[in-house]
Amino acid sequence: MGRPAAQRRAAVLPAALPFLGAVLFCAAALPCAAVPRAARACGNTITLTVDELARRVTAAEKLLTAGNTVGAVQSLRFALAVARGTASRGGFGGYELTSDVRAQPAVRIRVRAERLFALAVVRRDGLVDRRRLRAGWVPDAVRAANFVWAEGVLGAALRDAPAAPEAIAHHAEALARLPNRANDAASALRELDRRDLMPDAWSYAVLARLSEAGRDTATRDRAAALCVTLAGEHADAVCPAPRGAAAR
Amino acid sequence: MRGGVAKALVALLLFVACERASGGDAARREGASLEGVSEDAASAGGDALRGALLAVRFECARCHTRDGLTPALPEKNCAQCHAQIARGELDVGADAATRAEWRARTRSYLNVPSLTHVGARLRRAALAAMLREPHDLRPHLDETMPRLRVSPAEAADLAAWLAPDAEARAPQLPHDAATLARGRALVDSLGCGNCHERGGDRLPAQALAVPLTPDVFARAFALAPDLAEVRTRVRRDHLVPWLLDPRSLDPRTTMPALLRTRADAEAVAAWLLYAPVAPRALRVVPARLPLLTRRVTFAEVQARVFGRSCWHCHAEPDFARGDGGPGNTGGFGFAGRGLSLISASAARSGARGDDGVRRSVLVSRTSAAPRLVEVLLARQREEAGEASELRGMPLGLRALGAEDVQLVESWIASGAGD
């Protein structure tokens, strides 16, 4: 399906004019090799525009929404390294941003990517090696620390946008993983649900699990059903297994 | 950043200073013939200086140019960026395939009238009325002026800024049947119908005596107004001069000078002003189609509707240098409703009401249709001449067809998921 086109459009401009200088400089200074779309080779480094970086982050968002947490972490690994300006070191083939990584548009995308990464950590059950930006098994103590860290990052996002349903729901997903905060998470999600502002299938999945634990079967059933409706073809990856099925 | 703000301020101050100076000139020039001021201009009132400041607040420069008005920044300039794409001049590091795709898709704001000389052609009161209640002025242009949140006093100020000189009283033209018939014959034979229509009247398109390059003709065709509005819109004192030599009033106009003698121009002017107008067939509100019975995904709605008609006004600020567009983070004088349509979860996150409280746009508030559908239907009604309180979407652009509305409605009905 039209994935690539949709992704390209997602990054649609109003942007990037100031980066033109950097791109031209590179193009004029050295012959540009054939590299993937919108990236240009420049000596030993390959440059990427902020727009292209935004496209990568959008792609990671789509993967995460679809329940592909491993894929999301993988694409964020690359995007974050470029956004932080560290991609020229570890095995990323020497990618660099055409603009200063401290410039506003790059910073915005980096912050977005960091928050998305925190959300991916929560949705992957904390099974992420944060330092190496890799999905995989980690000891329980590390998992617990991951949840505390993610709650901090998503809490900061919520402070930036206090009334935004996506920020509220994402923060609630992280809260739900902390000891003794499940009630706070559940009430935040119930409030969104009451106002018809529940953003996605994941938030219904969490509400269903929390209601299960709180023995509120009516809410659990409703939330689980809405999760399936919203997730569509991704329901298996996102929503809790139907009642009676073996626990996953 | 701070430098940019400072520069913009300096530009604004300089501009305001110039405007003040020229306003003074205009007043002095008019002093001699003050009793010639028509009722039209006097009744509209308004303060040109306040108007100049309002033009900055309402960001008119994102779509229009006007000498002395600081152009909008490139990443905010709807008309300039789209024109650059159409000419293949926008290089932001995208590859050739992407650029070709963009070029094929951008069709809005490629022809927007310049505001520099509108005051020489159009009446102040008509300008004020149009700013308050925009409607389709040009049969060959899909876009209309967006319905901005302009109060009557603000509209009068903006109109005074656009048309600082008062209209002089013009003698009534003879308009007996023979004159009108002669006017109509001239209009037919000179080929005004190559560009213009008049209400429901398609004028014949005789070959033009003046050769135009294809580019100039395309722009002139798009920008030619409906001549049915001449009686209310055009300054009486400048109508005949306009017909004789449009460039004497607007050096950059694409309308050619086709009339040779004053007598001919007066006959045509009389026909424009006094001949009965056949009403234009209004667009009808299309019948609503039944909901689709299958599940509709966000990707479909995005590909056909949100990504086509809504995105730059309801965008994601992180991916657009902090500017989520007029419908999200604000612009065109709107505070912004915080509505992003970039993903299903963003669309599900609702919009802020006037009270600042977020509400879902997927449920109904006042009628049977969800808010998101209500605004689409409102735009269809605006096109049929039935504007209501509710601003139609896409703002200032062609209404969606019945099938696209059906798709959006069916997406919502099937749960508004991914």
Side-chain angles (χ1 to χ4, degrees):
Chain A
M1 260 220 40
R3 254 292 153 70
Q7 282 164 15
R8 240 176 288 145
R9 229 176 313 120
V12 152
L13 322 171
L17 291 169
F19 301 110
L20 195 56
V23 174
L24 281 181
F25 167 74
C26 166
L30 294 151
C32 290
V35 284
R37 48 172 44 271
R40 300 189 192 195
C42 209
N44 286 331
T45 57
I46 303 170
T47 57
L48 216 60
T49 63
V50 165
D51 282 343
E52 179 57 20
L53 184 63
R55 267 171 224 144
R56 309 272 173 137
V57 177
T58 308
E61 281 179 3
K62 292 209 157 125
L63 288 171
L64 190 57
T65 305
N68 183 349
T69 54
V70 176
V73 169
Q74 262 162 11
S75 13
L76 284 172
R77 184 163 181 261
F78 173 77
L80 274 171
V82 175
R84 290 168 179 169
T86 57
S88 48
R89 282 175 253 141
F92 292 102
Y95 274 89
E96 254 177 31
L97 215 53
T98 50
S99 77
D100 188 342
V101 293
R102 287 159 307 182
Q104 254 308 302
V107 170
R108 288 191 78 105
I109 295 175
R110 195 189 78 210
V111 170
R112 193 174 178 96
E114 308 264 13
R115 288 171 178 176
L116 194 63
F117 182 61
L119 188 60
V121 166
V122 173
R123 290 181 177 176
R124 248 211 92 55
D125 283 335
L127 296 175
V128 174
D129 178 342
R130 265 198 293 131
R131 209 176 45 81
R132 293 165 57 220
L133 298 168
R134 274 188 206 286
W137 183 87
V138 293
D140 278 354
V142 174
R143 271 183 76 202
N146 279 350
F147 289 137
V148 171
W149 168 80
E151 192 274 331
V153 172
L154 296 170
L158 181 58
R159 280 193 295 282
D160 280 355
E166 283 175 295
I168 296 173
H170 295 165
H171 180 239
E173 282 190 47
L175 270 188
R177 302 297 189 148
L178 298 186
N180 307 324
R181 300 300 300 276
N183 281 344
D184 296 341
S187 63
L189 291 175
R190 266 197 222 101
E191 171 68 8
L192 284 180
D193 180 37
R194 189 185 62 75
R195 296 170 59 204
D196 295 310
L197 289 175
M198 204 74 136
D200 54 22
W202 285 96
S203 17
Y204 276 118
V206 174
L207 181 58
R209 285 197 196 97
L210 292 170
S211 310
E212 169 92 46
R215 301 218 175 76
D216 175 356
T217 47
T219 307
R220 178 203 54 201
D221 290 350
R222 221 182 106 265
L226 283 166
C227 180
V228 171
T229 306
L230 285 190
E233 58 180 351
H234 313 304
D236 285 349
V238 177
C239 303
R243 211 153 29 118
R248 285 185 299 158
Chain B
M1 191 69 239
R2 199 164 282 165
V5 172
K7 252 184 242 159
L9 268 180
V10 169
L12 175 65
L13 289 175
L14 277 177
F15 161 65
V16 166
C18 297
E19 215 34 41
R20 214 187 256 285
S22 67
D25 275 357
R28 244 170 283 124
R29 256 184 281 123
E30 274 158 30
S33 62
L34 211 55
E35 81 266 64
V37 174
S38 78
E39 267 168 30
D40 164 55
S43 63
D47 179 329
L49 189 57
R50 275 203 306 263
L53 292 167
L54 287 171
V56 175
R57 173 145 83 72
F58 286 107
E59 303 185 317
C60 313
R62 290 178 82 167
C63 297
H64 294 285
T65 56
R66 180 173 160 96
D67 291 356
L69 178 66
T70 313
L73 294 173
E75 68 265 26
K76 289 196 156 220
N77 200 320
C78 318
Q80 178 185 285
C81 184
H82 282 206
Q84 283 174 333
I85 291 168
R87 290 193 303 261
E89 285 169 11
L90 185 78
D91 183 354
V92 288
D95 60 20
T98 307
R99 287 209 309 270
E101 195 183 295
W102 286 347
R103 198 168 171 175
R105 284 178 193 271
T106 36
R107 55 203 151 83
S108 306
Y109 312 120
L110 299 180
N111 290 295
V112 183
S114 155
L115 297 183
T116 302
H117 299 285
V118 277
R121 192 174 85 249
L122 304 180
R123 312 181 108 177
R124 205 187 270 182
L127 285 165
M130 191 278 288
L131 290 167
R132 294 268 300 140
E133 280 161 24
H135 59 281
D136 195 0
L137 301 164
R138 293 174 162 84
H140 309 136
L141 194 68
D142 277 348
E143 309 86 310
T144 60
M145 245 311 268
R147 279 178 73 192
L148 305 176
R149 189 172 280 190
V150 181
S151 72
E154 288 167 340
D157 289 342
L158 282 164
W161 166 69
L162 289 167
D165 298 340
E167 183 177 340
R169 201 185 295 284
Q172 212 182 47
L173 296 168
H175 52 280
D176 51 282
T179 309
L180 295 191
R182 202 163 73 80
R184 170 71 203 225
L186 282 161
V187 165
D188 287 358
S189 64
L190 292 173
C192 311
N194 282 291
C195 300
H196 291 286
E197 294 172 14
R198 185 171 186 259
D201 199 352
R202 299 287 119 84
L203 307 169
Q206 297 296 327
L208 290 173
V210 181
L212 298 173
T213 66
D215 278 1
V216 170
F217 180 76
R219 183 164 170 84
F221 179 77
L223 285 180
D226 183 347
L227 293 180
E229 307 224 9
V230 169
R231 344 162 148 213
T232 47
R233 232 166 88 89
V234 177
R235 286 173 62 155
R236 294 293 157 95
D237 57 342
H238 284 175
L239 179 55
V240 171
W242 174 266
L243 294 174
L244 278 169
D245 184 7
R247 253 173 246 166
S248 68
L249 293 169
D250 178 351
R252 271 173 267 170
T253 185
T254 44
M255 161 142 165
L258 295 169
L259 285 146
R260 296 269 162 270
T261 68
R262 187 160 193 97
D264 284 355
E266 287 186 352
V268 169
W271 179 76
L272 288 169
L273 292 174
Y274 300 107
V277 174
R280 172 180 297 278
L282 279 174
R283 289 215 182 87
V284 286
V285 178
R288 248 160 103 189
L289 300 174
L291 292 175
L292 298 169
T293 47
R294 62 184 179 85
R295 182 178 194 273
V296 174
T297 65
F298 179 77
E300 283 176 83
V301 184
Q302 185 176 45
R304 246 170 68 186
V305 180
F306 295 161
R308 291 259 168 118
S309 314
C310 323
W311 221 326
H312 280 169
C313 292
H314 295 279
E316 169 45 56
D318 286 347
F319 297 150
R321 333 193 119 225
D323 184 359
N328 185 0
T329 45
F332 301 169
F334 293 101
R337 302 236 169 236
L339 174 61
S340 158
L341 295 172
I342 194 185
S343 62
S345 58
R348 297 180 59 84
S349 296
R352 280 190 298 269
D354 289 330
D355 54 4
V357 176
R358 245 176 211 282
R359 289 185 192 85
S360 172
V361 293
L362 305 179
V363 295
S364 143
R365 262 175 256 166
T366 50
S367 74
R371 186 70 159 183
L372 194 59
V373 174
E374 268 185 325
V375 295
L376 302 177
L377 300 175
R379 183 65 188 150
Q380 293 180 336
R381 285 195 305 272
E382 281 173 9
E383 285 195 340
E386 305 161 24
S388 65
E389 273 290 288
L390 186 64
R391 258 183 200 81
M393 296 288 149
L395 185 74
L397 298 173
R398 281 301 307 272
L400 299 191
E403 288 184 0
D404 286 347
V405 175
Q406 177 190 42
L407 190 75
V408 174
E409 219 172 345
S410 304
W411 172 65
I412 297 172
S414 58
D418 277 292

